[in-house]
Amino acid sequence: MIQYKTSEEVQLIKQSADILGRAHGEVAKHIKEGVKTSFLDKVAEEFIRDHNGVPSFKGYNGFPASLCISVNEVIVHGFPSDYELKDGDIISVDCGVFHQGFHSDSAYTYPIGEVSPSVKALLKATQDSLYLGIEQAVVGNRIGDIGFSIQKFVEAKGYTVVRELVGHGLGKKLHEAPEVPNYGKKGSGILLKAGMVIAIEPMINLGTRNIVQERDGWTIRTADRKPSAHYEHTVAILEDKTEVLTTHKYIEEVFKF
């Protein structure tokens, strides 16, 4: 069942999202060659807790960290570790914050040093597809319109869309109805109504769309081990507009590519 939010609840999610955006900005300051991904997780958790938030992911169904950190061919749900970032890597940082009873969720993929032109193009296309999806998240459209716009855009560029992992509603719970696929048919699926809050998060692969789950039960990678990119925003569908509640501006102030 979809949990429609009041305007007051949307504002509470926006406050959670503000902490989240600034936490991403703190992490972004440290993303460079030689940094251990476990250190990035520590930075995020300390910032979130220092601002009266709780990391949404830590302990969620047993997940051990505050950040999902996914490097290169890992699509999502990677664990922070002693791995040190290298020139040419890409790293997806996915984070959630629980504050005043509500969750927010967002992700950003960074290039480390000099990445290949093909991978840089993948990152830009995935980021662009996120905003195309958001444009379709308006009252009167359907869930399929979001996925269709993402799929059409990235497949035209030769990329593939992960099917098994999707965006989602969120609010008092980290994952709520409805599911928000990054593929679909125009005009299909659940009708979008005012009060819906959803996370739109394209996961786009350079090679095959097929995936493999690693033995840890969490880490999802591409079957062909080619790179994957992931960007995400939490958005509120309102009567007269769609508001992006999360922000990447704190990232982009300190990390340029």
Side-chain angles (χ1 to χ4, degrees):
M1 181 182 294
I2 295 172
Q3 303 296 320
Y4 295 95
K5 278 70 179 180
T6 65
S7 58
E8 291 81 6
E9 289 174 330
V10 170
Q11 288 306 307
L12 289 172
I13 298 171
K14 191 173 182 179
Q15 290 173 33
S16 170
D18 179 66
I19 297 170
L20 173 57
R22 289 186 287 133
H24 269 295
E26 287 301 307
V27 170
K29 293 175 184 177
H30 300 281
I31 291 185
K32 58 186 178 181
E33 293 175 57
V35 171
K36 292 182 179 180
T37 60
S38 56
F39 176 74
L40 302 177
D41 187 69
K42 181 182 177 184
V43 168
E45 180 169 3
E46 287 182 356
F47 184 91
I48 292 167
R49 294 193 187 278
D50 285 348
H51 291 80
N52 301 313
V54 175
S56 295
F57 299 170
K58 193 162 189 178
Y60 181 79
N61 291 337
F63 190 78
S66 298
L67 298 179
C68 293
I69 293 186
S70 305
V71 178
N72 296 331
E73 73 272 16
V74 177
I75 302 166
V76 287
H77 304 164
F79 291 177
S81 70
D82 286 337
Y83 178 81
E84 295 182 1
L85 296 175
K86 304 193 305 289
D87 181 65
D89 284 344
I90 59 172
I91 172 177
S92 166
V93 176
D94 191 357
C95 187
V97 167
F98 183 70
H99 177 69
Q100 297 186 107
F102 288 89
H103 293 274
S104 56
D105 191 1
S106 67
Y108 194 92
T109 303
Y110 300 81
I112 307 301
E114 291 296 323
V115 301
S116 69
S118 62
V119 171
K120 198 168 186 178
L122 170 68
L123 299 188
K124 185 178 187 308
T126 305
Q127 190 173 32
D128 288 347
S129 77
L130 168 62
Y131 292 98
L132 291 173
I134 291 170
E135 286 179 6
Q136 296 300 315
V138 296
V139 170
N141 276 3
R142 293 186 177 272
I143 284 287
D145 295 319
I146 298 172
F148 174 81
S149 66
I150 293 170
Q151 181 182 12
K152 181 181 179 182
F153 178 75
V154 299
E155 288 186 349
K157 294 179 177 294
Y159 307 124
T160 60
V161 178
V162 173
R163 305 298 180 96
E164 296 85 352
L165 304 157
V166 297
H168 53 92
L170 75 167
K172 291 183 178 178
K173 294 181 180 179
L174 180 58
H175 292 100
E176 298 180 353
E179 291 190 342
V180 186
N182 298 301
Y183 62 94
K185 294 182 179 179
K186 198 170 184 178
S188 67
I190 292 168
L191 183 68
L192 301 178
K193 298 180 181 179
M196 294 175 70
V197 175
I198 57 176
I200 300 175
E201 50 177 322
M203 291 157 271
I204 309 301
N205 297 346
L206 188 62
T208 180
R209 71 174 178 84
N210 297 325
I211 68 171
V212 172
Q213 184 175 50
E214 300 288 16
R215 291 181 181 179
D216 61 24
W218 281 98
T219 305
I220 304 290
R221 66 165 173 84
T222 57
D224 59 7
R225 295 191 179 274
K226 290 184 178 179
S228 180
H230 176 215
Y231 292 85
E232 177 182 19
H233 273 312
T234 297
V235 304
I237 300 172
L238 309 176
E239 284 287 359
D240 59 343
K241 64 178 181 178
T242 297
E243 185 172 1
V244 181
L245 302 180
T246 47
T247 181
H248 291 155
K249 72 176 182 179
Y250 299 106
I251 294 171
E252 291 162 355
E253 284 174 0
V254 298
F255 192 98
K256 306 291 185 184
F257 79 92

